[in-house]
Amino acid sequence: MRLPCVRPGTIPVMEHARRVGNRLLAALPPADFALLAPHLRKVELQHDAVLVRSGDKIEHLSFPCSGAVALIMELPNGQTAATAVIGNDGAVGLLTALGPTRSPMTAVVRVAGTALQISPARFHNALERSPAIASSVQLLTRTLLTQFQHVAACNALHSVEARLARWLLHIHDRTDGGDILPLTQETLSELLGVRRTTVTHVVSALRSSRAIKSNRRGQLEIDRHRLEIIACECYKVMSRRIDRIVSQDAPRVLHAAPARIGCLPPDPPFAKTDS
């Protein structure tokens, strides 16, 4: 979906910012959002789709409006582990704001949804004209670092059961509702960085405690209240810190300086993004 270029500060831009879906984009002042709006396109995030692979050039930034994307670190021996989950509070491909680069991680859609995508060149052009967009990059970096730091500590200090409960809660937070998560044992193994035999044992333990009600055909039905009891303190601490950055810091920081008014030149034609 290509959004029309409109004069900054007019009602159409303000209305779209309110319903855009991604919390950080929606927090931008209307004039700053107008720099991005003509170049954003809405795409479907299909379950298990790979947005970018480790080592590949980052072709676009994706701002999820719904669904959940896991950032996966892949080691040379083939082992994997999740380092963060991105929802409508963040973006995938942020490193392109620092210049042309290759992705250090693989980004995989774990819960289907939608996203707004923009090319790195267009985002960088808007970034140079908008202190608020530059601040949004800093905010995004802070939310990612918060996840990376907590995940690293959690992996070293807490049990696999507590870690799985934490991941399930993070993913559930980014769904559109309902207690059924489309996660296979292979996906859980990838998230946790453990063998599938370990996942089988952990899921069985969570079922015994009734935190997981069922796990048939690649779907987990969860009991959120029981998961919160089992999860380590990392879940609540991490969630509070990220929410504070997105809900409190973002509006204050992003409205601190106005953008240089005007729309960017129109995009050249492009092919539809494959999901």
Side-chain angles (χ1 to χ4, degrees), residues 1-274:
M1 177 180 69
R2 187 63 63 88
L3 304 176
C5 186
V6 296
R7 287 194 299 272
T10 58
I11 291 176
V13 171
M14 295 178 70
E15 288 181 348
H16 185 79
R18 283 196 292 266
R19 65 174 184 267
V20 67
N22 183 275
R23 294 168 66 187
L24 283 174
L25 285 181
L28 286 170
D32 301 84
F33 182 77
L35 296 175
L36 298 173
H39 316 290
L40 291 168
R41 54 179 176 174
K42 191 172 186 179
V43 298
E44 298 291 328
L45 298 179
Q46 300 293 337
H47 178 60
D48 284 343
V50 177
L51 299 184
V52 63
R53 293 190 183 278
S54 176
D56 286 354
K57 183 179 178 182
I58 300 174
E59 300 290 347
H60 48 249
L61 282 81
S62 300
F63 292 85
C65 300
S66 60
V69 179
L71 300 185
I72 307 295
M73 180 63 69
E74 300 180 18
L75 300 181
N77 64 0
Q79 289 182 299
T80 63
T83 57
V85 174
I86 308 297
N88 70 350
D89 53 356
V92 177
L94 174 66
L95 287 176
T96 58
L98 306 177
T101 187
R102 295 186 180 276
S103 177
M105 289 170 284
T106 296
V108 185
V109 178
R110 286 309 176 207
V111 177
T114 62
L116 293 172
Q117 289 186 342
I118 187 170
S119 72
R122 291 299 181 187
F123 185 81
H124 196 267
N125 287 341
L127 174 70
E128 291 181 333
R129 300 169 63 183
S130 167
I133 294 176
S135 295
S136 75
V137 173
Q138 297 178 17
L139 291 166
L140 284 166
T141 302
R142 285 174 58 191
T143 61
L144 282 176
L145 286 177
T146 296
Q147 288 204 60
F148 293 160
Q149 290 167 345
H150 278 282
V151 168
C154 186
N155 288 346
L157 300 174
H158 297 140
S159 69
V160 181
E161 288 85 356
R163 288 162 48 202
L164 178 55
R166 173 178 57 76
W167 278 124
L168 294 178
L169 289 169
H170 284 315
I171 293 172
H172 188 249
D173 288 342
R174 291 160 174 83
T175 64
D176 292 330
D179 292 332
I180 297 179
L181 303 178
L183 302 172
T184 64
Q185 288 205 351
E186 182 179 358
T187 297
L188 298 179
S189 174
E190 182 181 68
L191 286 171
L192 291 166
V194 299
R195 297 179 183 275
R196 289 184 63 176
T197 51
T198 302
V199 171
T200 300
H201 174 76
V202 174
V203 169
S204 178
L206 292 181
R207 284 195 67 177
S208 297
S209 63
R210 294 186 293 174
I212 291 178
K213 298 178 182 179
S214 65
N215 60 314
R216 288 180 285 184
R217 287 175 291 196
Q219 293 185 326
L220 294 180
E221 184 179 4
I222 65 169
D223 184 308
R224 184 177 177 93
H225 175 70
R226 288 188 168 92
L227 277 181
E228 289 178 345
I229 294 173
I230 294 170
C232 53
E233 63 270 22
C234 294
Y235 167 70
K236 290 185 178 179
V237 172
M238 194 187 310
S239 297
R240 282 198 303 266
R241 290 182 177 177
I242 292 175
D243 191 64
R244 183 172 65 244
I245 293 170
V246 176
S247 299
Q248 299 178 27
D249 295 353
R252 174 177 54 82
V253 172
L254 299 183
H255 287 258
R260 290 189 281 277
I261 303 300
C263 288
L264 298 176
D267 274 342
F270 54 83
K272 182 179 178 181
T273 300
D274 293 329

